[in-house]
Amino acid sequence: MISNHLPVYILILLLISAVTTPAIKPSSKKFRPKLVGTLTIASLLALTMFIVVWTNGPFYYNFGNWDSVIGIEFFVDEYTSLFVLAVLLISLLIIIFSLEDILHDIPKEKTPHYYTLMLLMVFSMLGMIMTNDLFNLYVFMEILSLTSCGVISIKRNKANIMASFKYLMLGTIGSVSILLGIAMLYMVTGHLNMGATSQTISSVWQMYPRNILISLSFILTGLGLKAAIFPLHVWLPDAHSAAPTPSSAILSGIVIKIYAFSMIKILFRVIGIDIIKAISINEYLTYFAVISIVMGSVFAIGQKDIKRLLAYSSVSQIGYVFLGIGIATEMGLVAGMYHIIAHAMMKSTLFLSAGAVIYRTGIRKVNEFDGLGYELPLTLGAFSIAALGMIGIPGVNGFMSKWYLGLAAFEIGKPIFIIFILISSFLNAVYFLPIVISAFLKESNRREQIMIRDDIPFTMKAPLVVLGAACIVTGLFPNIIVNVIQRALPTFMTFVF
Amino acid sequence: MANLDMILDNINYIGAFTLFIIGLYTVLTHSNLLKRVIGVNIMETAVFLFFVSIGYIKGASAPILDQITGESFYVNPLPSAMILTGIVVAVSITAYGLSLLINLYKEYGTLELDEIISKEEKAND
Amino acid sequence: MKKKMKKAKQKFDQLILKIFPDIFCVNCVLVFVIYLMIILLVGIATTIGLGGGPLSLSNPDSFLSKIGSFISSFEALPLIIILLPILGGPLEAIIGKKSSILRDTLVVNTTFITFILIVLMYPQVMRGGLSFSLPGVLGFGLNFNVDILSYILAITSGILWLFVSIYAHDYMDHEKHQNRFFLWKSITFGGVLGTLMAGDLFTMFLFFEIMTFSSYVLVAHNQSNESMLAGNSYIFIGVVGGLSILLGMLMLYAYTGTLEFVPLASQLAAIGWPKYIMVGLFVIGFGIKAGMLPLHIWLPKAHPVAPTPASALLSGILIKIGAYGLLRLTISVFMPNPQEITGFLDPLWDVSRNLGVMIIWAGIITMAVGAFLALQQCEMKKLLAYSSISQIGYIIMGVGVTAYLGYMGAMGYAGTLYHIINHAFFKSLLFMVAGVVFYQTNELNMFKLGGLWKKLPLTALLCLIAIMGIIGMPLFNGFISKSLLHHGIVEAYEYGHASFKYAELIFRIVSIGTVAYYMKFFISVFLGELPEKFKNIGGEKGMMDLAMGGLALLIIAIGHVPHFLMDRFIIPSARALTYDPAFIKKYLVDIEFFTYSEISGMFWIFVFGILLYIAGTRFKLFQLTFYECLDIDKGLYKPMYNGVVSISRKFTEKFEDKIINNDVVIYSAILMVIMFFLLWFT
């Protein structure tokens, strides 16, 4: 009984908790336990859902028991439930981190509003992941858009408001573009449900090819704008560098991936792999991906502010995901989807440790990191682990995605992509290694070089340790994730209604 | 003249696309941020128009349940319902954007993007 | 706060010293004695032939034989051997905060226990290799496969690490950040053992990267400007090497579907021209680690600037890992299956042959340039670093001969392996000697030293022993490996292309040069006049001498009993590979080392070397300066790195703002472009 409605329980739990958060005073004792407790219960529900799907197979959930064609449908397969679980766990860790950290960005009375926005963000992300209906995707996407602008502008800084405004405008243009694409698809297929659309699309393709192509171009440009592919990434550096740390972490780590995952769903489930190969749209995706991979790193090298550097690094890493999608084979999808989860962990670790450094010492410039390893060893240790993963050292999960991408590139006979991946690994080393080296090995005249315990609150230390350990564990045992992906692959490669 | 008929039949769609391009043009060229918000609004309206006109069937009646008897056509109610949601979203985005603009005006005293950028550069130097 | 902690440490140390007078020295001497016993036992056991089956004593149920059979069938030994130093490192660092004596004792003991465990692998290795895999890790599973080649190198690393740990206690008194040093030294040990015992390329790559990153911390230890620059050079080039190996691995896996060390020449032959790219990538990747020209530039910067124990390890083992990687690939991936070939001229050997030519010449150039630059140095450690480059040239040449001669490559293989072991011992001994001199005098420039034999007589004697080894004096171990390598290169031009005659000529000239520059080293540092300011330096330090003495004993022992290593380890290892058994039987078994031609050849090399030295000092040949443009580092690598960084910076400055301010333009442009492409081309 319970297991049938699990997706809804998670969503309702988050929604109710988001709406009732402003009712509690931030200084009361119940505030923090309530937040953390909500997310923990949601994670446990997601874990249950994952176990149910793993043992019983994917299932469809129809809202209100309306038929799929008329009503809204959620489709939960193995990878979707794993992704939901990952999103909830990472958001839980980020919100634990933010309990102390947010106080130096916004005044205490506003924290309930902030957490409302965060919980709504998680809510909409989960909706976007699980949905099987195009317009529902649009609605959740809009909620996500609004709340993610909200968590940036909640800090009343000039830079924040400007960045948030730019993100809002560009995000809206993206959403409008996507809606136009969805409309054109609806025009020819008459369905909004992804399954039903995919069934009719092969016959429609013979009659109205132009329609589908135009709609595809609108959708891809819109999703690319929101997922921050180069050169559509322009809102990302300002937004992610100005935002408070937990927001940057969740935005850079998870939000942009959701859009990439939506692209996977639309491309593979709605349009179907035959049409994709026929119009070779995946090739164009790979070109954009490769440009994004290299240019993201090139721009990152020239940055002086650490958060901006990490934001550009996200542009580069999203390129990997798109490269995996573009190589539209099984191995490519495995690589792309693995990198979604792997990068979520790594980027959150990086942003959270940068945030801890800023919280403790106020240092934001990359060349002022000298000697920080002795003052904040745990923080910079987590940073180093994630940085090594970005460079591609075996043992951390970043390496496995590069390996899978390399294998996929060889499979389709285009080894040139691997050269680009390796160039970007080298460029990642160029900008990450100096930070790690100067933190641990440079003398600084501000402090002596004895290692002391981090002087940051426990709520900030714990997520860093857990995320760093998770990076290493998924790096040493990638099969945890890869097996799940491989089980779910048939639903992407040949979607049966 | 078949062309004119075709244009008249699809006037909604052509109008929607024209509006979209006008809106995009507004956002592209004007540097006043308020005009950009208006431009985005125009783009959204264009898409709504497009979506709704998908459901329209010439010569069909309104989709009210009591009125229809037998095998007559009725306009597809689904897009209209969707677009109501869409309009709500557009309104909330506009409201949010405008409130951000108010704050920007308080900080900078101007809403022109060029002037804001030059003020930022002066502040950085 | 620092002073308080230091005082607390000193108090704790004194407390321990009161309880056990100098526990460290006692511990080390004990370890040394046990080590000697083990070596003797192993020697006796293998001579009698106890290597093979389970240790069966007269009473099969007795406790000892039960332990014996347990040991000889315990499969997870490689994993424990690797985990022990990696986990012991943090433990040592934690204990090191309280007391440095306890920490150093723990370091020595951990290393010693690891060494004993390595020795305990002997029965299983002799039975035909010890295989162990951990499935599921890293998607492929970790594979450990210890055959005789890995085993002998693992024992060498174990011995080396043991002695360096004993040595490091006294040496590190003068250095800061000791805990960090010992922590990363242990982790490097784990990485090295992992690389050596790996059974497929993937596992090897994992431990290779761990080793690179942990040895970086050792290189940059001093945190001076020079150290940081050397460290930057080391790690960036190391990362490039790792990426090159990764690309090679990807190609190998994509084309052949396996990464294990099995004979793959037939599959390779079917690939066509991409196999040369793959081979080239592997050579570049492992060559960077080994210090092959022109990828060697990090070596002369990194080895001098590291603290001496680290330099000894870097020069002793870490660069050999690069050569080991190349050797491993040559004897497994590029070698055909024994059943598939018909003899020396089988076309399946072609890949190996072409590879061999390239590697032989790379080795020769490395040898020559290394020796030439070593002649020009005036700083002790830099001379030893360039000498390492030169000796690695020997080893790489040996790898090349192995590859080139294919079926008849057993001699080259034997020479390479022998020289790897020998060089590990005498180079680390030389570095330790240089370290002792630096520790007492704080001076690295050879021309400012002199006459130190009066103050450090034992060190001078040990240095002499090491030099005798490295120049190839008969009755010391270098003679054996150099004559094997010489036989190898002679065979290369006898069985192969005649142009290798020049290679052999350069080989002889480089040996002459080696004699010359080591004479320069010894004479400038130990003989001559003792400068005024060094009249009052301290004398010998007990533990450092113990460590150095252990290595010297090995040098002399191997030199006197060359057949021990040959018969017990090298020939069985060669027999397991696809080499002509008749060749091995004729040329390698019971090889005569002390023949008249060999010794007279050596004699002439010594004479010429002495002449070169006298000519050099007379005509000031040893202090040439170069044109800046010939310096590869400044000419090629630094501009590349700076180019990357500056291009990025320029890009960012010029374009970043423009792109950000024209956001919507970009959106419309992309939209148009995509629509155009989609509509036009379908």
Side-chain angles (χ1 to χ4, degrees), chain C residues 400-443:
Chain C
V401 166
T402 315
Y404 180 68
L405 287 178
Y407 202 47
M408 316 264 215
M411 182 73 78
Y413 176 75
T416 312
L417 194 49
Y418 220 116
H419 202 62
I420 290 182
I421 302 172
N422 288 345
H423 183 247
F425 293 143
F426 40 66
K427 190 42 72 66
S428 34
L429 181 53
L430 282 169
F431 264 107
M432 286 189 196
V433 163
V436 168
V437 171
F438 177 67
Y439 180 80
Q440 297 292 7
T441 63
N442 227 1
E443 177 65 63

Short mmCIF file of all heavy atoms in Angstrom, two decimals, chain C residues 400-443:
data_model
loop_
_atom_site.label_atom_id
_atom_site.label_comp_id
_atom_site.label_asym_id
_atom_site.label_seq_id
_atom_site.Cartn_x
_atom_site.Cartn_y
_atom_site.Cartn_z
N GLY C 400 65.34 -1.94 -24.29
CA GLY C 400 65.28 -1.90 -25.74
C GLY C 400 65.87 -3.15 -26.36
O GLY C 400 65.33 -3.71 -27.32
N VAL C 401 67.01 -3.60 -25.82
CA VAL C 401 67.62 -4.82 -26.35
C VAL C 401 66.67 -6.00 -26.18
O VAL C 401 66.51 -6.82 -27.10
CB VAL C 401 68.96 -5.08 -25.64
CG1 VAL C 401 69.45 -6.47 -25.90
CG2 VAL C 401 69.98 -4.08 -26.08
N THR C 402 66.03 -6.06 -25.02
CA THR C 402 65.07 -7.14 -24.79
C THR C 402 63.99 -7.13 -25.85
O THR C 402 63.62 -8.16 -26.40
CB THR C 402 64.40 -6.97 -23.43
OG1 THR C 402 65.38 -6.66 -22.48
CG2 THR C 402 63.65 -8.19 -23.04
N ALA C 403 63.48 -5.93 -26.13
CA ALA C 403 62.40 -5.84 -27.11
C ALA C 403 62.92 -6.14 -28.50
O ALA C 403 62.28 -6.82 -29.29
CB ALA C 403 61.77 -4.46 -27.05
N TYR C 404 64.10 -5.61 -28.79
CA TYR C 404 64.59 -5.69 -30.16
C TYR C 404 64.93 -7.12 -30.55
O TYR C 404 64.63 -7.57 -31.64
CB TYR C 404 65.81 -4.79 -30.29
CG TYR C 404 66.42 -4.78 -31.64
CD1 TYR C 404 65.74 -4.23 -32.71
CD2 TYR C 404 67.68 -5.32 -31.86
CE1 TYR C 404 66.30 -4.22 -33.96
CE2 TYR C 404 68.22 -5.31 -33.11
CZ TYR C 404 67.54 -4.75 -34.16
OH TYR C 404 68.09 -4.73 -35.39
N LEU C 405 65.60 -7.80 -29.63
CA LEU C 405 66.06 -9.12 -30.00
C LEU C 405 64.99 -10.16 -29.90
O LEU C 405 65.19 -11.29 -30.31
CB LEU C 405 67.24 -9.52 -29.11
CG LEU C 405 68.49 -8.76 -29.47
CD1 LEU C 405 69.60 -9.14 -28.54
CD2 LEU C 405 68.88 -9.08 -30.89
N GLY C 406 63.86 -9.77 -29.31
CA GLY C 406 62.72 -10.68 -29.33
C GLY C 406 63.04 -12.03 -28.73
O GLY C 406 63.27 -12.18 -27.54
N TYR C 407 63.09 -12.99 -29.57
CA TYR C 407 63.24 -14.36 -29.11
C TYR C 407 64.56 -14.57 -28.40
O TYR C 407 64.68 -15.38 -27.49
CB TYR C 407 63.14 -15.27 -30.33
CG TYR C 407 62.77 -16.67 -29.98
CD1 TYR C 407 61.72 -16.93 -29.12
CD2 TYR C 407 63.43 -17.75 -30.54
CE1 TYR C 407 61.36 -18.22 -28.81
CE2 TYR C 407 63.07 -19.04 -30.26
CZ TYR C 407 62.04 -19.27 -29.39
OH TYR C 407 61.68 -20.54 -29.10
N MET C 408 65.57 -13.83 -28.85
CA MET C 408 66.89 -14.01 -28.23
C MET C 408 67.16 -12.95 -27.20
O MET C 408 68.31 -12.68 -26.89
CB MET C 408 67.97 -13.90 -29.31
CG MET C 408 67.64 -14.62 -30.55
SD MET C 408 68.39 -16.21 -30.49
CE MET C 408 68.78 -16.40 -32.19
N GLY C 409 66.13 -12.33 -26.69
CA GLY C 409 66.37 -11.17 -25.83
C GLY C 409 66.67 -11.49 -24.39
O GLY C 409 66.67 -10.60 -23.54
N ALA C 410 66.96 -12.73 -24.09
CA ALA C 410 67.11 -13.09 -22.68
C ALA C 410 68.28 -12.39 -22.03
O ALA C 410 68.23 -12.02 -20.86
CB ALA C 410 67.27 -14.60 -22.54
N MET C 411 69.36 -12.17 -22.80
CA MET C 411 70.53 -11.52 -22.22
C MET C 411 70.21 -10.09 -21.83
O MET C 411 70.56 -9.64 -20.74
CB MET C 411 71.67 -11.53 -23.26
CG MET C 411 72.93 -10.92 -22.74
SD MET C 411 73.75 -11.95 -21.55
CE MET C 411 74.52 -13.12 -22.63
N GLY C 412 69.51 -9.39 -22.74
CA GLY C 412 69.14 -8.01 -22.41
C GLY C 412 68.26 -7.97 -21.18
O GLY C 412 68.40 -7.12 -20.31
N TYR C 413 67.34 -8.91 -21.11
CA TYR C 413 66.43 -8.96 -19.97
C TYR C 413 67.21 -9.16 -18.68
O TYR C 413 66.98 -8.47 -17.68
CB TYR C 413 65.44 -10.09 -20.20
CG TYR C 413 64.49 -10.33 -19.08
CD1 TYR C 413 63.43 -9.48 -18.86
CD2 TYR C 413 64.65 -11.41 -18.24
CE1 TYR C 413 62.56 -9.70 -17.84
CE2 TYR C 413 63.78 -11.64 -17.21
CZ TYR C 413 62.73 -10.78 -17.02
OH TYR C 413 61.86 -11.00 -15.99
N ALA C 414 68.14 -10.11 -18.72
CA ALA C 414 68.92 -10.37 -17.51
C ALA C 414 69.71 -9.14 -17.11
O ALA C 414 69.76 -8.77 -15.93
CB ALA C 414 69.86 -11.55 -17.74
N GLY C 415 70.32 -8.49 -18.12
CA GLY C 415 71.11 -7.30 -17.80
C GLY C 415 70.27 -6.20 -17.20
O GLY C 415 70.65 -5.56 -16.22
N THR C 416 69.09 -5.97 -17.80
CA THR C 416 68.22 -4.91 -17.28
C THR C 416 67.87 -5.17 -15.84
O THR C 416 68.01 -4.31 -14.97
CB THR C 416 66.93 -4.85 -18.11
OG1 THR C 416 67.25 -4.87 -19.49
CG2 THR C 416 66.14 -3.64 -17.77
N LEU C 417 67.41 -6.38 -15.60
CA LEU C 417 66.94 -6.68 -14.25
C LEU C 417 68.08 -6.56 -13.24
O LEU C 417 67.93 -5.96 -12.17
CB LEU C 417 66.37 -8.10 -14.25
CG LEU C 417 65.54 -8.49 -13.04
CD1 LEU C 417 64.52 -7.44 -12.75
CD2 LEU C 417 64.87 -9.81 -13.33
N TYR C 418 69.22 -7.10 -13.62
CA TYR C 418 70.36 -7.05 -12.71
C TYR C 418 70.75 -5.61 -12.44
O TYR C 418 71.04 -5.22 -11.31
CB TYR C 418 71.54 -7.79 -13.34
CG TYR C 418 72.31 -8.60 -12.36
CD1 TYR C 418 72.38 -9.97 -12.45
CD2 TYR C 418 73.00 -7.99 -11.30
CE1 TYR C 418 73.08 -10.73 -11.57
CE2 TYR C 418 73.70 -8.74 -10.41
CZ TYR C 418 73.74 -10.11 -10.54
OH TYR C 418 74.43 -10.85 -9.65
N HIS C 419 70.76 -4.80 -13.50
CA HIS C 419 71.20 -3.43 -13.29
C HIS C 419 70.21 -2.64 -12.47
O HIS C 419 70.59 -1.75 -11.71
CB HIS C 419 71.45 -2.74 -14.63
CG HIS C 419 72.37 -1.57 -14.50
ND1 HIS C 419 73.67 -1.68 -14.08
CD2 HIS C 419 72.18 -0.25 -14.72
CE1 HIS C 419 74.24 -0.50 -14.04
NE2 HIS C 419 73.35 0.40 -14.43
N ILE C 420 68.90 -2.94 -12.62
CA ILE C 420 67.92 -2.25 -11.78
C ILE C 420 68.25 -2.51 -10.31
O ILE C 420 68.29 -1.59 -9.49
CB ILE C 420 66.49 -2.72 -12.10
CG1 ILE C 420 66.06 -2.23 -13.48
CG2 ILE C 420 65.53 -2.22 -11.07
CD1 ILE C 420 64.65 -2.61 -13.84
N ILE C 421 68.50 -3.78 -9.99
CA ILE C 421 68.76 -4.11 -8.59
C ILE C 421 70.05 -3.44 -8.12
O ILE C 421 70.11 -2.81 -7.06
CB ILE C 421 68.85 -5.63 -8.42
CG1 ILE C 421 67.56 -6.28 -8.90
CG2 ILE C 421 69.12 -5.99 -7.00
CD1 ILE C 421 67.65 -7.77 -8.95
N ASN C 422 71.10 -3.58 -8.96
CA ASN C 422 72.38 -3.02 -8.54
C ASN C 422 72.32 -1.52 -8.37
O ASN C 422 72.80 -0.96 -7.38
CB ASN C 422 73.46 -3.34 -9.58
CG ASN C 422 73.82 -4.80 -9.52
OD1 ASN C 422 73.49 -5.48 -8.58
ND2 ASN C 422 74.51 -5.24 -10.55
N HIS C 423 71.72 -0.87 -9.35
CA HIS C 423 71.71 0.58 -9.29
C HIS C 423 70.94 1.08 -8.08
O HIS C 423 71.29 2.09 -7.47
CB HIS C 423 71.13 1.16 -10.58
CG HIS C 423 71.17 2.65 -10.61
ND1 HIS C 423 70.05 3.42 -10.59
CD2 HIS C 423 72.20 3.50 -10.64
CE1 HIS C 423 70.39 4.69 -10.63
NE2 HIS C 423 71.70 4.77 -10.65
N ALA C 424 69.86 0.35 -7.74
CA ALA C 424 69.11 0.75 -6.55
C ALA C 424 70.05 0.82 -5.36
O ALA C 424 70.04 1.80 -4.60
CB ALA C 424 67.98 -0.24 -6.28
N PHE C 425 70.90 -0.22 -5.23
CA PHE C 425 71.75 -0.25 -4.06
C PHE C 425 72.84 0.80 -4.11
O PHE C 425 73.01 1.57 -3.15
CB PHE C 425 72.38 -1.65 -3.90
CG PHE C 425 71.38 -2.70 -3.57
CD1 PHE C 425 71.48 -3.96 -4.09
CD2 PHE C 425 70.31 -2.43 -2.73
CE1 PHE C 425 70.54 -4.93 -3.78
CE2 PHE C 425 69.38 -3.38 -2.43
CZ PHE C 425 69.50 -4.65 -2.95
N PHE C 426 73.59 0.84 -5.24
CA PHE C 426 74.70 1.78 -5.11
C PHE C 426 74.29 3.24 -5.23
O PHE C 426 74.91 4.09 -4.61
CB PHE C 426 75.90 1.48 -6.00
CG PHE C 426 75.71 1.00 -7.39
CD1 PHE C 426 75.14 1.79 -8.36
CD2 PHE C 426 76.18 -0.26 -7.72
CE1 PHE C 426 75.04 1.34 -9.64
CE2 PHE C 426 76.08 -0.71 -9.01
CZ PHE C 426 75.51 0.08 -9.98
N LYS C 427 73.20 3.54 -5.96
CA LYS C 427 72.83 4.95 -6.03
C LYS C 427 72.30 5.45 -4.70
O LYS C 427 72.58 6.57 -4.27
CB LYS C 427 71.82 5.16 -7.16
CG LYS C 427 71.56 6.59 -7.48
CD LYS C 427 72.80 7.46 -7.50
CE LYS C 427 73.69 7.22 -8.67
NZ LYS C 427 73.08 7.59 -9.93
N SER C 428 71.52 4.62 -4.02
CA SER C 428 71.01 5.12 -2.74
C SER C 428 72.15 5.25 -1.74
O SER C 428 72.16 6.16 -0.93
CB SER C 428 69.91 4.24 -2.18
OG SER C 428 70.13 2.91 -2.50
N LEU C 429 73.14 4.35 -1.85
CA LEU C 429 74.29 4.48 -0.96
C LEU C 429 75.02 5.78 -1.23
O LEU C 429 75.40 6.51 -0.30
CB LEU C 429 75.23 3.28 -1.16
CG LEU C 429 76.47 3.25 -0.29
CD1 LEU C 429 76.12 3.40 1.16
CD2 LEU C 429 77.22 1.95 -0.50
N LEU C 430 75.19 6.11 -2.53
CA LEU C 430 75.87 7.36 -2.85
C LEU C 430 75.09 8.57 -2.33
O LEU C 430 75.67 9.52 -1.80
CB LEU C 430 76.04 7.48 -4.36
CG LEU C 430 77.17 6.65 -4.91
CD1 LEU C 430 77.09 6.63 -6.41
CD2 LEU C 430 78.50 7.25 -4.47
N PHE C 431 73.77 8.52 -2.48
CA PHE C 431 72.98 9.65 -1.98
C PHE C 431 73.10 9.75 -0.47
O PHE C 431 73.15 10.84 0.10
CB PHE C 431 71.51 9.50 -2.39
CG PHE C 431 71.17 10.27 -3.62
CD1 PHE C 431 70.94 9.62 -4.81
CD2 PHE C 431 71.08 11.65 -3.60
CE1 PHE C 431 70.62 10.32 -5.95
CE2 PHE C 431 70.77 12.36 -4.74
CZ PHE C 431 70.54 11.68 -5.92
N MET C 432 73.13 8.58 0.18
CA MET C 432 73.27 8.63 1.64
C MET C 432 74.61 9.25 2.03
O MET C 432 74.67 10.02 3.00
CB MET C 432 73.16 7.22 2.22
CG MET C 432 71.77 6.66 2.23
SD MET C 432 71.78 5.14 3.17
CE MET C 432 70.27 4.43 2.66
N VAL C 433 75.65 8.91 1.28
CA VAL C 433 76.96 9.51 1.57
C VAL C 433 76.90 11.02 1.41
O VAL C 433 77.33 11.77 2.29
CB VAL C 433 78.03 8.90 0.63
CG1 VAL C 433 79.26 9.76 0.61
CG2 VAL C 433 78.36 7.50 1.06
N ALA C 434 76.30 11.45 0.30
CA ALA C 434 76.17 12.89 0.09
C ALA C 434 75.37 13.51 1.22
O ALA C 434 75.64 14.63 1.67
CB ALA C 434 75.49 13.15 -1.26
N GLY C 435 74.36 12.76 1.70
CA GLY C 435 73.57 13.28 2.79
C GLY C 435 74.35 13.45 4.07
O GLY C 435 74.20 14.43 4.79
N VAL C 436 75.23 12.47 4.33
CA VAL C 436 76.05 12.58 5.54
C VAL C 436 76.93 13.81 5.46
O VAL C 436 77.06 14.58 6.41
CB VAL C 436 76.89 11.31 5.74
CG1 VAL C 436 77.94 11.52 6.80
CG2 VAL C 436 76.01 10.15 6.10
N VAL C 437 77.54 13.99 4.29
CA VAL C 437 78.42 15.16 4.13
C VAL C 437 77.63 16.44 4.33
O VAL C 437 78.06 17.36 5.04
CB VAL C 437 79.07 15.14 2.72
CG1 VAL C 437 79.80 16.42 2.45
CG2 VAL C 437 79.99 13.95 2.61
N PHE C 438 76.43 16.51 3.73
CA PHE C 438 75.61 17.70 3.86
C PHE C 438 75.20 17.92 5.31
O PHE C 438 75.16 19.04 5.81
CB PHE C 438 74.39 17.58 2.96
CG PHE C 438 73.44 18.72 3.06
CD1 PHE C 438 73.80 19.98 2.64
CD2 PHE C 438 72.17 18.55 3.59
CE1 PHE C 438 72.93 21.05 2.73
CE2 PHE C 438 71.30 19.61 3.69
CZ PHE C 438 71.67 20.86 3.26
N TYR C 439 74.88 16.81 6.00
CA TYR C 439 74.42 16.90 7.38
C TYR C 439 75.50 17.51 8.27
O TYR C 439 75.22 18.32 9.14
CB TYR C 439 74.05 15.50 7.84
CG TYR C 439 73.54 15.39 9.25
CD1 TYR C 439 72.21 15.69 9.56
CD2 TYR C 439 74.35 14.96 10.28
CE1 TYR C 439 71.73 15.57 10.84
CE2 TYR C 439 73.88 14.84 11.57
CZ TYR C 439 72.57 15.14 11.84
OH TYR C 439 72.10 15.01 13.11
N GLN C 440 76.73 17.11 8.00
CA GLN C 440 77.79 17.62 8.87
C GLN C 440 78.30 18.98 8.45
O GLN C 440 78.65 19.79 9.29
CB GLN C 440 78.97 16.63 8.88
CG GLN C 440 78.63 15.27 9.44
CD GLN C 440 78.33 15.32 10.92
OE1 GLN C 440 78.25 16.39 11.53
NE2 GLN C 440 78.17 14.17 11.53
N THR C 441 78.36 19.23 7.15
CA THR C 441 79.01 20.46 6.72
C THR C 441 78.04 21.50 6.20
O THR C 441 78.42 22.64 6.00
CB THR C 441 79.99 20.17 5.58
OG1 THR C 441 79.22 19.67 4.47
CG2 THR C 441 81.02 19.17 5.98
N ASN C 442 76.83 21.13 5.92
CA ASN C 442 75.83 22.04 5.35
C ASN C 442 76.25 22.63 4.02
O ASN C 442 75.87 23.73 3.68
CB ASN C 442 75.52 23.17 6.34
CG ASN C 442 74.03 23.34 6.46
OD1 ASN C 442 73.28 22.62 5.84
ND2 ASN C 442 73.62 24.29 7.26
N GLU C 443 77.06 21.91 3.30
CA GLU C 443 77.58 22.44 2.06
C GLU C 443 77.40 21.40 0.98
O GLU C 443 77.72 20.23 1.17
CB GLU C 443 79.08 22.73 2.24
CG GLU C 443 79.78 23.22 1.02
CD GLU C 443 79.26 24.57 0.58
OE1 GLU C 443 79.40 25.53 1.36
OE2 GLU C 443 78.72 24.67 -0.52
#
